Amino acid sequence: MAETVASQAGVESRPPIDEVFLVDPSVRARRRQTVIVAVARIALAVAGLLAWELASDRLISSFWISSPSAIWSALLRFTADGQLVPAVWVTLLETAAGFAAGGAAGILVGLAFGISPIIARILDPYLVALNSIPRVALIPLFILWFGIGFETKVLFAATLVFFPVFLNTFAGARDVDRDLIDVIRVMGASRLDVIRRVFVPSALVWVFAGLRMSIPFALIGAVIAEMFTSNEGLGYLIAVTANQYDTAGSFASLLVTTVLGLVLTWGVSQAERRTLRWRSNNA
Amino acid sequence: MTPILEFRDLSKVFFKGEQRVHALAHVTAEVEEGELLAIVGPSGCGKSTLLNLSAGLMEPGTGEVLYRGQPLTRVNTQVSYVTQKDNLLPWRIVEDNVALPLELGAHAKLSKDDRRERIARYIELVGLTGFEKHYPSELSGGMRKRAQLARSLVYEPDVLLMDEPFGALDAQLKLVLQAELLRMWEGTGKTLVFVTHDLAEAITIADRVIVMSSRPGRIRAIEHIDLPRPRDVFGIRFVPGFGDYFERLWSALREDIHQGQEV
Ligand SMILES: Nc1ncnc2c1ncn2[C@@H]1O[C@H](COP(=O)(O)OP(=O)(O)O)[C@@H](O)[C@H]1O
Ligand SMILES: [Mg+2]
């Protein structure tokens, strides 16, 4: 007992860890669960890949399902012949631009709706109508208007991004606590102050949820438009490999597209965590 | 001297869905400059409504609210309002929450140094030094109230409206905060309107207590509390006069509480 006290007094900068944090059954159970989950996930991935590799050409022709090793060499081939990096780059640019344009428009319209109920009532039926258009059907029109270049793809990605961001921002702006608004008005806030200091920050939680949700939409939009216009990007790579019956190549481009989507989503989540630090800090 | 706030024959009706709620009926009262007025009444009797009207956040149904003799026609930015609900901005740390009023309207003219000095002074006054960088979600209920108080005082308004500020706190913490509120208020000459449903709390801190009836809220009794200041909130209930005030006001309040239960 006396020993513990003495040793604790020795390390003043670091608070001593109570023994209970190491041995309490709840702590150990928690740790065990984390390990089980990690191991199971890896095992599942390995087993899946192995089964795929073994099934290929034994159970099902590799023409249909290719195989992990063939996909890997296709990936190396694309990298070596200089197709992959430019394709990723183009798709990334289109996705980012479409995301930015659609996101900005969604936030602006969502805030306007939230702040002015009259605007919301007037425009509501039009937005419902616009949202019901099957978006892919617009691509031929966009090509007609803007050609098969960058603009068509960005615009299409933006139309997919707009609605989730808009709907979330609108919900967020409606969710703003009336009490906060009252209190800041008594402090002498102008209308603009109320928007800047209460509406926008308060809606931000919802805005980010919308943005995070629509990153995959931006990527889908860019890829689909590329498949239509058939000149560059990952969508083009996917289409062209499939047309050539290059199953491995198709899978490889899909894989890269998926990874790109994951990376972008991760990026937005990071930005969200940083901006909404006050939420993750809940003690 | 004109009273700083004056309620003239105020009545107010709300719609709750299809139902009409008669919140206030013919309330006439005055708030003198520099006094600490407590308003007590059963819950739902229109106390918050009265404060909302004083802040100019809603219009009376009939009657009028006068501030320094002038009828209120818009939001009253001369007062500061600690509402019943917690309403710090959750995305701002304590320091930035306290800074909020100094970013707005006429207060924004303060120089940077003055502003920093004031914020630090009021954070210290409410005893939150060391918690400047904490988010509201990291504070206890009592500390959030302290932060709200600092935010209300930092722009040095003439009138402070407080709506059941200590209602949700445990009994001991309530006493501690009452003591601190009195320490901050005594000697400042500021007007404080303090709404509570706790009669003992009202008598403990106030110069004058108004008792309201249950809905529709009317004024049932007004009593001057002539207990000496500075007051000791922990010992005051054993001071001779306290019991008499309590009994008199309680008899005014009691009728309605029984009524309220039947409804
Ligand atoms: N903005 C409002 N809309 C509808 N009803 C309200 C509103 N504000 C208050 N009321 C109603 O008016 C009555 C008095 O409310 P309030 O002033 O909050 O009472 P208290 O603060 O004394 O508890 C209650 O029945 C309440 O439901
Ligand atoms: Mg109330």
Side-chain angles (χ1 to χ4, degrees), chain A residues 177-190 193 197-199 201-202 277-279 281-283, chain B residues 55 57 75-77 79 81 83 85 87-92 100-101 103-105 107 135 137-138 151 155:
Chain A
D177 191 342
R178 304 307 304 183
D179 268 33
L180 291 186
I181 298 175
D182 281 349
V183 147
I184 172 172
R185 280 173 69 215
V186 175
M187 290 174 187
S190 64
D193 285 324
R197 293 172 211 278
V198 179
F199 261 101
S202 170
R277 212 159 61 83
W278 58 274
R279 291 192 88 220
N281 262 2
N282 284 357
Chain B
L57 291 168
V75 177
N76 185 354
T77 57
V79 304
Y81 189 2
T83 55
K85 256 172 59 189
N87 54 30
L88 296 167
L89 303 184
W91 51 85
R92 287 188 176 215
L100 177 67
E103 299 166 8
L104 304 169
H107 320 296
Y135 286 98
S137 60
E138 299 169 320
R151 186 182 65 180
Y155 61 111

Side-chain angles (χ1 to χ4, degrees), chain A:
Chain A
M1 191 57 190
E3 243 173 317
T4 342
V5 173
S7 67
Q8 281 177 2
V11 275
E12 264 185 332
S13 56
R14 205 160 16 121
I17 291 182
D18 198 305
E19 196 192 1
V20 73
F21 283 102
L22 304 173
V23 299
D24 192 285
S26 73
V27 175
R28 276 189 289 171
R30 176 78 175 258
R31 203 178 314 143
R32 206 173 56 215
Q33 220 177 43
T34 315
V35 171
I36 290 175
V37 168
V39 169
R41 278 184 187 164
I42 294 170
L44 210 58
V46 170
L49 287 175
L50 214 61
W52 188 355
E53 186 72 44
L54 291 176
S56 176
D57 274 340
R58 290 195 179 83
L59 295 175
I60 307 170
S61 156
S62 66
F63 176 81
W64 304 114
I65 62 165
S66 185
S67 73
S69 57
I71 294 169
W72 180 247
S73 36
L75 209 53
L76 293 180
R77 174 161 49 83
F78 286 152
T79 319
D81 67 11
Q83 279 194 82
L84 191 64
V85 176
V88 170
W89 180 241
V90 165
T91 304
L92 180 65
L93 282 186
E94 293 159 359
T95 305
F99 180 69
I107 291 172
L108 281 180
V109 179
L111 276 179
F113 268 49
I115 289 163
S116 160
I118 202 84
I119 294 185
R121 276 191 60 190
I122 295 171
L123 294 183
D124 182 62
Y126 297 105
L127 277 155
V128 172
L130 281 180
N131 194 24
S132 342
I133 298 176
R135 234 53 58 76
V136 193
L138 292 174
I139 297 183
L141 263 183
F142 286 177
I143 294 178
L144 188 70
W145 293 338
F146 303 108
I148 56 169
F150 191 64
E151 295 89 341
T152 291
K153 295 154 196 163
V154 171
L155 198 64
F156 182 62
T159 61
L160 292 187
V161 169
F162 175 81
F163 278 96
V165 175
F166 157 70
L167 289 172
N168 269 283
T169 308
F170 185 24
R174 264 188 313 195
D175 185 52
V176 172
D177 191 342
R178 304 307 304 183
D179 268 33
L180 291 186
I181 298 175
D182 281 349
V183 147
I184 172 172
R185 280 173 69 215
V186 175
M187 290 174 187
S190 64
R191 227 176 131 68
L192 188 67
D193 285 324
V194 173
I195 293 172
R196 265 186 38 198
R197 293 172 211 278
V198 179
F199 261 101
V200 173
S202 170
L204 220 51
V205 175
W206 292 70
V207 170
F208 266 112
L211 288 177
R212 198 166 8 92
M213 193 194 279
S214 57
I215 269 280
F217 289 130
L219 186 60
I220 291 168
V223 167
I224 292 180
E226 283 165 354
M227 293 171 82
F228 268 80
T229 55
S230 260
N231 50 0
E232 53 182 355
L234 286 169
Y236 169 66
L237 207 57
I238 293 170
V240 92
T241 45
N243 286 342
Q244 294 166 351
Y245 307 113
D246 175 7
T247 329
S250 262
F251 273 116
S253 354
L254 255 174
L255 182 67
V256 173
T257 312
T258 308
V259 171
L260 186 60
L262 287 176
V263 170
L264 288 173
T265 307
W266 178 82
V268 171
S269 297
Q270 286 307 40
E272 178 177 8
R273 270 190 40 195
R274 235 163 239 222
T275 316
L276 304 182
R277 212 159 61 83
W278 58 274
R279 291 192 88 220
S280 52
N281 262 2
N282 284 357

Side-chain angles (χ1 to χ4, degrees), chain B residues 11 17 33 37 64 80 86 99 102 114 150 169 182 184 210 257:
Chain B
S11 298
E33 182 147 17
L37 173 71
E64 54 182 359
S80 101
D86 245 348
L102 302 182
D114 282 350
L169 306 177
L182 284 186
M184 285 178 236
I210 291 183
I257 289 182

